[in-house]
Amino acid sequence: MATHLAAVALAKGDPFELQTRPTPKPGPEELLIEVKSVALNPADGYMRDQGLFIPTYPTVIGFDISGLVLEVGNNVPISATDEIRGSFFRPGITRVAAFAASFWKSCDPDYGAFQERCLVPWQHALLLPDEDISWNQAATLPVAVEVPLSAWDAMGIPRVGEATAASVSTVPVGADPSGETRKNKNKNSEALLIWGASSSVGTMGVQSARLLREDPDSAFAAVYASAGAANQEYVGSLGANRVFDYKDPRVVDAIASAAREDGLVIRHCFLAMGQLAPCQAVLKAFLGDHQEGENQRAKIGSAPVIPPDAEEVNGVETIFVMPSADEGERLAQFQYWMGTWLRENLANGTIMPSPELRVVGKGLGAINAGLDLLLRGPRALTEPK
């Protein structure tokens, strides 16, 4: 029986231990991936230390991987003749990035990212468009893309190319090619706010929000963002029209004043990281400003878990961002997020991996130290080999 090395979680709060595991065979609609790089996320650290989402031990966790397709199961598209647009998988040839599915498999260890071989539903995988994207860059993409795109869906924001006159309340107002906000007199036009925009999911939130802004049928005229002073220029380069220092004690007033100066309202916010309260305060400032009906209810899509004691603000709905619990719906979501949106935008250069990588070590044995580092600072990656 074929075997491979894995970083195994044995008990809540214990560091991972390296163990040999039997290599599984892919089932229907599954890929077996030879993992080349894993990206570490804060959720990985909470799962290791607090047992978050883990029903039984031992297990293998982790979300973000890149690697080579080794085997495919039944009903996986394997050639361009299959009726799956842009996605086909050739064993030993196809390079992918993928969102590992252990969370939806009750933490079945065969589906965890932190090992040399991992099973993944093909809908969770991105075919890498060319060799210019490294294994490490590719591994940072799945979670970073899924979270903001899931937030737009959860808040009811039409996908690029899917907005219609019936689904938006305004005559669209765009941004000029220089990226400057274009002032307008239509008080229904919106700025889309990204809070915590220098994080991994935050930077992809800015890039995806920029594409929403550029959609001719979009209600959004501008992208606003909050970030630390050291990262403001970088966040602006990704597509934010205005970037505000979240440490400024008057940041809420500064954002509200800027929007009114630009002739905009703010009704949608993506909380990538940070505190919920300032996002609520910004949206609260615009409650009653030219709102018409329930479809104008202010909404926050939150990547962090919403604290049980979080204050509720009348007229502001906070939604914890998660893919659908229904398997069919989830697979369809991932197929769009990974196989359509991400693949097409990487190929045509309209988005790029972000932010700058920090590789913390080689080998699965580096994951524990990498998570310790991550929980104190920026996102990290490890290379299994």
Side-chain angles (χ1 to χ4, degrees):
M1 175 184 287
T3 61
H4 64 273
L5 195 64
V8 179
L10 297 176
K12 181 173 74 172
D14 287 353
F16 302 131
E17 290 190 12
L18 296 186
Q19 294 186 358
T20 298
R21 298 193 64 249
T23 301
K25 304 293 287 185
E29 300 196 340
E30 291 182 346
L31 311 172
L32 177 65
I33 305 298
E34 178 187 4
V35 178
K36 298 292 188 180
S37 181
V38 297
L40 308 180
N41 297 278
D44 302 325
Y46 304 144
M47 292 177 74
R48 180 194 65 177
D49 297 343
Q50 303 170 20
L52 185 68
F53 305 135
I54 299 177
T56 57
Y57 292 90
T59 189
V60 179
I61 67 166
F63 295 98
D64 271 322
I65 65 172
S66 64
L68 185 69
V69 174
L70 290 182
E71 298 180 36
V72 301
N74 293 333
N75 303 322
V76 172
I78 58 173
S79 73
T81 59
D82 288 288
E83 295 182 2
I84 305 295
R85 194 177 78 166
S87 296
F88 51 94
F89 303 87
R90 294 174 292 175
I93 297 174
T94 303
R95 301 168 69 243
V96 298
F99 195 119
S102 71
F103 175 84
W104 293 279
K105 301 288 186 179
S106 301
C107 286
D108 183 327
D110 289 344
Y111 296 87
F114 297 160
Q115 54 190 330
E116 294 176 335
R117 303 288 187 271
C118 176
L119 292 181
V120 175
W122 72 261
Q123 297 91 338
H124 281 222
L126 156 74
L127 278 74
L128 297 177
D130 53 47
E131 298 290 336
D132 292 337
I133 297 176
S134 70
W135 293 122
N136 287 339
Q137 289 173 319
T140 68
L141 290 168
V143 168
V145 167
E146 175 273 322
V147 177
L149 294 192
S150 183
W152 309 146
D153 285 354
M155 289 190 283
I157 296 171
R159 293 172 176 177
V160 171
E162 295 183 4
T164 66
S167 62
V168 294
S169 60
T170 70
V171 176
V173 180
D176 65 32
S178 69
E180 295 298 319
T181 303
R182 192 162 67 201
K183 292 186 182 180
N184 62 86
K185 296 182 179 180
N186 188 331
K187 294 298 184 181
N188 285 331
S189 294
E190 293 189 46
L192 180 54
L193 176 62
I194 317 296
W195 196 274
S198 63
S199 65
S200 179
V201 296
T203 58
M204 198 57 69
V206 170
Q207 294 193 70
S208 59
R210 184 194 76 235
L211 297 180
L212 289 171
R213 182 194 68 202
E214 293 171 353
D215 186 348
D217 291 321
S218 172
F220 300 107
V223 177
Y224 289 0
S226 79
N231 296 311
Q232 289 184 6
E233 183 177 352
Y234 177 65
V235 170
S237 75
L238 296 176
N241 298 93
R242 291 182 181 260
V243 187
F244 303 86
D245 186 351
Y246 72 92
K247 293 182 179 179
D248 179 352
R250 295 180 55 82
V251 64
V252 170
D253 291 337
I255 294 172
S257 296
R260 292 195 168 103
E261 177 187 330
D262 292 336
L264 306 174
V265 297
I266 303 175
R267 296 198 186 100
H268 296 86
C269 172
F270 170 47
L271 174 57
M273 65 176 295
Q275 300 301 310
L276 177 61
C279 301
Q280 292 174 315
V282 172
L283 270 59
K284 184 178 180 180
F286 294 92
L287 292 179
D289 284 16
H290 308 281
Q291 289 190 221
E292 299 175 5
E294 178 64 24
N295 66 334
Q296 293 302 318
R297 180 180 176 87
K299 295 180 180 180
I300 299 169
S302 177
V305 174
I306 301 166
D309 59 349
E311 180 185 355
E312 292 189 11
V313 175
N314 260 347
V316 179
E317 179 184 5
T318 302
I319 304 164
F320 176 52
V321 175
M322 283 287 289
S324 174
D326 178 85
E327 183 176 18
E329 291 178 1
R330 185 193 87 240
L331 293 175
Q333 287 176 322
F334 271 101
Q335 188 178 340
Y336 171 76
W337 295 332
M338 300 290 115
T340 299
W341 189 92
L342 180 51
R343 187 173 188 229
E344 290 178 358
N345 284 294
L346 275 179
N348 62 29
T350 48
I351 66 161
M352 61 182 183
S354 62
E356 184 178 350
L357 302 177
R358 182 179 186 183
V359 178
V360 297
K362 286 183 177 290
L364 295 167
I367 290 177
N368 283 311
L371 287 178
D372 293 341
L373 240 144
L374 175 64
L375 294 176
R376 298 195 300 267
R379 196 175 186 205
L381 295 102
T382 69
E383 299 169 320
K385 295 180 179 178

